[in-house]
Amino acid sequence: MSVEEAHVVMQRHRHCGADTCSRKRAAFCVLIEAGHAVPDIRAERYLAAAADRLT
């Protein structure tokens, strides 16, 4: 997914939680890797917990 697509996904899925919405979680990860989003420590724990539940 491109950075531009990730921005659109984040907007379209704004009411979803990253722990329950795989599209939003993937978009958020793309934005983090691209330096377009900087999660705080709470978001890092939140995403790690969501990833653990999916594996």
Side-chain angles (χ1 to χ4, degrees), residues 1 12 14 22 24 29 32 36 38 40 43 50-51 53:
M1 168 182 323
R12 289 186 180 158
R14 67 184 172 275
S22 61
K24 183 171 186 171
C29 289
I32 291 168
H36 288 248
V38 180
D40 65 14
R53 283 194 295 261

Side-chain angles (χ1 to χ4, degrees), residues 1-4 7-8 10 12-13 15 19 21 24 27 29-31 35 37-40 44-46 50-52 54:
M1 168 182 323
S2 71
V3 171
E4 293 79 17
H7 280 293
V8 171
M10 291 295 286
R12 289 186 180 158
H13 291 258
H15 297 295
D19 62 334
C21 180
K24 183 171 186 171
C29 289
V30 167
L31 294 175
V38 180
D40 65 14
E44 290 174 10
R45 287 193 303 253
Y46 179 72
D52 288 344
L54 294 175

